[in-house]
Structures are given as C-alpha cells and as structure tokens.
Amino acid sequence: MKEIPDIQWFPGHMTKTRRMIEADIKSVDAVAEIVDARIPESSRNPIINELAGSKPRILLLNKSDYADDKITAEWAKFYNSKGYKTVICDCRSGKNVKSFIPAVRSVLSDVLAKRRAKGFVGSALRVMVVGIPNVGKSSFINRLSGSNKTKTADRPGVTRGKQWVVLDKDIELLDTPGILWPKFEDPEAALRLAYTGAVKDDVLDIYEIAGFLAEYLDANYPIPFRQRYKVPEDGEINLEIIARKRGMLISGGEPDLLRAAATVLDEFRSGKLGKISLERPIQSV
C-alpha cells in the first residue's frame, strides 16, 4: 500500500467550540456522543472524554443503515462493556431514534430519584449532544424532536453555534457544533474520517483518498464493490477501470480519474456500495 497521506484540519471555530463545551458542561446532567457507526472509534474525539469528565454518558451509533450490522453489534457490546449506554440508530430512516429518550431516563435514574426525594418534580434533564463534524447530530435532533430546529447538511461544519432543543417536558438537549482534534495521531483513523466526509474534501487529495478506499473495499467487501462497477471477480479494479466502466472520459479518451474518485467517495458515503464498516472493536482496543 502507498504511504498514508498526512491529513490535518483544525479551523478556528473548533477552538471556539471547545471553549463553549468547557463553559456549558457544568450545566448539564449527561453527555450524549454521536458517532458514525461505520467508524465508531475513529469518529470519537478524545477531547470529548476529557471535557465530559465523570458525567453519565450515552453513545449513539448513528448511520447504522450504512454500516455492517454484525460489526455494529460488536461495537455496541464493546462500548456497553466500557460503561456507556449504547443506542444503535439511524437518523435518516428514523430507526431506533426514539430509544434515546428512555436511554436518557435510564442513565439518569439516580438523578431523577434524588430530585423526586427533594421534591424537585418537573425539573428538566439536560443533555449535551456532542460529536465530530458530519456524524449527524443535527439530523438526529431534528428527527427526535419532529422538527427542523437545527441546520443540517451532508458536509462537515454546518452547526456553528449552540442551541437548546426541548424534546419532552422533562428533557432538554444542548446541540453543539462538531469538533475535531488538533492532530490526527493515527493516520489510518484520519483516512477513515476522510472517507466518511468528516474532513472537508477541499483540504484533501480526493484521488489519493478514493484510491485507498477502493483498496479497502476490494479487500473487505469485494462482491458488492465489484458488482456496483461491473468488474468481474477475477479482474483488476482501480479508479481508471471504474472511470472506463462508467464512461467517464476526457479528451483523447483518457479516463477522468478525479470524477471516478469523487464517484467512489460519494457512493460509499450515500450507502450505494452496501452496508460497510471500516473498523472493528478488536482493532481499536
């Protein structure tokens, strides 16, 4: 395999977000972290553990409709064993999203009991929702609240300011902008983030990134990958071949490699290549 590229991205608003979380963490009862079910560990910001401290934690494995079901179940078991309240969900289809509210009440049952004992009936449970860019925080909240209270888009960095959302008479969510960490220590984790769109494409060499993704897909999910691009099982497959199969040609009949690269990334991110996971728990322990 070629040398993994160095991927760095830490815009100024990320620093602002960290300060915002530090200021607001004391006013919430729990922290709900949303991750991408295709890359659960790579899409977890280690800074969030530091900022959340001892707050009760809920971990939402979002975009599960795009992830390998068997591997997602392995991740849920792994995180449950670490003391998290884990919810497998998909905000686009709505699958299991409603399980979040009982999960909040479960993880904060001690808080509810203490409030009832003190006569604080009706005091809302406050939960901060955190995560890196493009894991679906805003889409999750909109699906859960049944409204379009937060801005959403299939690109990182859309939510720029905090906002409170009332879910139920006794649950309030604080939505925060996505926050990446200053330096990617693990180059393979950085690649996974690039594959899923957590890092903006305009700071990447998409030809190089898509080439690495194609290698992974052919090694781990060869049947759906090759069927998508009509390449036989025993045939070679790369971006040039994909471009020719799709008729992506430029002057002189040369393959349009950048267009092919963009297509592979887009079709992976949108689930058109099937239910795919890019890491397993055993690789992240």
Side-chain angles (χ1 to χ4, degrees):
M1 179 182 274
K2 304 182 293 293
E3 182 180 354
I4 296 176
D6 182 43
I7 300 171
Q8 301 300 331
W9 184 51
F10 197 59
H13 75 272
M14 296 294 179
T15 302
K16 181 180 178 182
T17 299
R18 174 174 180 141
R19 291 173 182 159
M20 181 191 306
I21 292 174
E22 288 175 330
D24 292 328
I25 197 73
K26 295 178 183 178
S27 66
V28 300
D29 302 298
V31 174
E33 182 178 3
I34 300 184
V35 301
D36 188 323
R38 297 169 295 183
I39 53 167
E41 195 70 6
S42 293
S43 60
R44 295 193 67 205
N45 187 336
I47 292 174
I48 290 173
N49 274 341
E50 173 191 334
L51 297 177
S54 60
K55 297 283 182 180
R57 303 288 295 278
I58 301 168
L59 192 72
L60 297 121
L61 296 167
N62 192 29
K63 301 190 178 183
S64 63
D65 280 4
Y66 293 162
D68 187 314
D69 292 329
K70 180 180 178 181
I71 296 177
T72 300
E74 292 176 7
W75 278 112
K77 182 178 179 180
F78 172 79
Y79 287 122
N80 285 335
S81 72
K82 299 294 182 181
Y84 293 90
K85 186 71 174 180
T86 307
V87 176
I88 298 172
C89 61
D90 185 84
C91 64
R92 292 175 186 258
S93 65
K95 184 178 76 174
N96 214 32
V97 169
K98 295 298 183 182
S99 296
F100 176 71
I101 292 178
V104 170
R105 294 197 175 106
S106 173
V107 81
L108 292 175
S109 57
D110 290 346
V111 173
L112 286 170
K114 289 178 182 177
R115 289 182 181 179
R116 282 194 296 267
K118 294 179 179 179
F120 295 152
V121 179
S123 180
L125 296 172
R126 291 185 143 196
V127 181
M128 178 182 286
V129 181
V130 297
I132 69 168
N134 211 41
V135 292
K137 293 188 310 303
S138 296
S139 296
F140 173 79
I141 291 173
N142 288 341
R143 170 71 70 168
L144 198 58
S145 63
S147 66
N148 291 312
K149 296 184 178 183
T150 57
K151 294 180 181 179
T152 63
D154 192 19
R155 65 181 188 277
V158 173
T159 302
R160 290 298 179 91
K162 67 180 182 181
Q163 48 193 328
W164 283 100
V165 177
V166 178
L167 277 193
D168 208 343
K169 62 181 180 181
D170 61 350
I171 298 179
E172 296 177 359
L173 301 184
L174 176 59
D175 184 29
T176 61
I179 176 174
L180 280 172
W181 47 106
K183 180 178 175 62
F184 298 128
E185 301 293 346
D186 181 353
E188 292 189 359
L191 266 181
R192 295 181 194 117
L193 291 166
Y195 297 154
T196 59
V199 179
K200 291 182 178 179
D201 285 340
D202 57 10
V203 301
L204 302 171
D205 180 337
I206 66 166
Y207 171 73
E208 190 173 26
I209 298 300
F212 277 105
L213 177 59
E215 286 183 15
Y216 177 87
L217 295 174
D218 194 38
N220 294 275
Y221 295 91
I223 294 176
F225 181 53
R226 287 171 173 268
Q227 286 179 345
R228 181 71 185 175
Y229 300 109
K230 298 180 172 58
V231 175
E233 184 178 341
D234 57 351
E236 184 181 1
I237 184 168
N238 53 41
L239 292 179
E240 179 178 348
I241 291 170
I242 290 171
R244 293 190 183 280
K245 286 287 185 179
R246 288 288 180 89
M248 299 174 180
L249 305 176
I250 54 178
S251 59
E254 291 298 312
D256 189 339
L257 299 180
L258 286 180
R259 187 179 170 194
T263 296
V264 170
L265 288 171
D266 177 71
E267 295 191 344
F268 164 71
R269 292 169 182 171
S270 62
K272 292 178 181 177
L273 299 180
K275 305 188 77 170
I276 292 167
S277 292
L278 301 179
E279 60 183 358
R280 303 183 81 132
I282 193 171
Q283 299 171 339
S284 307
V285 177

